Amino acid sequence: MLPRPAVPDVAPFSYTLNIPHDPRAVRVARASIRSALMTHELPELAGVSELLASEMLTNAILHSYGETELHLRWAWQTLRMTVWDSNPKPPDLRPYDLYGESGRGLRLLRLLSDRWGFITRDREGWGRTAAKAVWCEIGRQVGSARI
């Protein structure tokens, strides 16, 4: 068996994007994520990260009001993406509908991320104290692609 290639260390980084309540903003977030990951030499995470962030942001825009925040953090060989929105209601995993046009976002989080979850709590500075964050983590996998 051949030894696995060494994974070069990537210094920790963190970015926050304020996303307006506009579906077109998801495209800007995707481009920003790709740019950050390419700049920090993590191209193998770009595709899956863009897809999962799109799902989380689209859900936030559809099921909340006002601005949304996307936090992107790389540390300990793991990318964590967190989407804050103004709706404190936990995400709902709907029954699978083969012919449905929506309802696959949380299933994609479960399938493509290493870990995911959500928290609800009071959040300062949003004009409304109750909020929710949906997050996922993606570890670096050398020599294989997730999607």
Side-chain angles (χ1 to χ4, degrees):
M1 178 177 258
L2 295 174
R4 294 190 99 184
V7 177
D9 287 334
V10 174
F13 62 84
S14 177
Y15 294 94
T16 300
L17 293 171
N18 295 316
I19 309 295
H21 196 262
D22 183 336
R24 296 173 295 186
V26 175
R27 191 174 338 157
V28 174
R30 287 176 68 112
S32 298
I33 290 167
R34 177 166 291 279
S35 178
L37 293 175
M38 298 305 245
T39 299
H40 289 282
E41 299 178 2
L42 294 165
E44 70 276 14
L45 298 181
V48 70
S49 300
E50 287 180 77
L51 175 62
L52 296 180
S54 291
E55 294 296 334
M56 292 188 294
L57 287 167
T58 298
N59 284 342
I61 290 169
L62 287 174
H63 301 291
S64 69
Y65 61 90
E67 189 175 90
T68 299
E69 288 180 6
L70 169 65
H71 298 276
L72 192 69
R73 183 185 58 148
W74 172 260
W76 304 290
Q77 298 295 309
T78 300
L79 180 69
R80 183 176 181 121
M81 295 186 295
T82 305
V83 173
W84 281 96
D85 68 48
S86 59
N87 183 352
K89 184 178 181 268
D92 185 25
L93 185 62
R94 295 188 283 180
Y96 182 72
D97 178 0
L98 180 61
Y99 301 105
E101 293 183 15
S102 64
R104 294 180 179 83
L106 291 180
R107 292 185 193 288
L108 287 172
L109 279 177
R110 282 187 5 188
L111 289 171
L112 297 176
S113 68
D114 295 323
R115 292 181 35 191
W116 79 277
F118 67 91
I119 60 169
T120 58
R121 71 172 193 192
D122 289 348
R123 184 152 167 100
E124 298 289 326
W126 275 32
R128 179 178 170 161
T129 57
K132 165 181 77 258
V134 178
W135 57 270
C136 68
E137 292 180 347
I138 305 163
R140 194 168 194 189
Q141 298 180 357
V142 174
S144 65
R146 291 177 189 268
I147 58 172

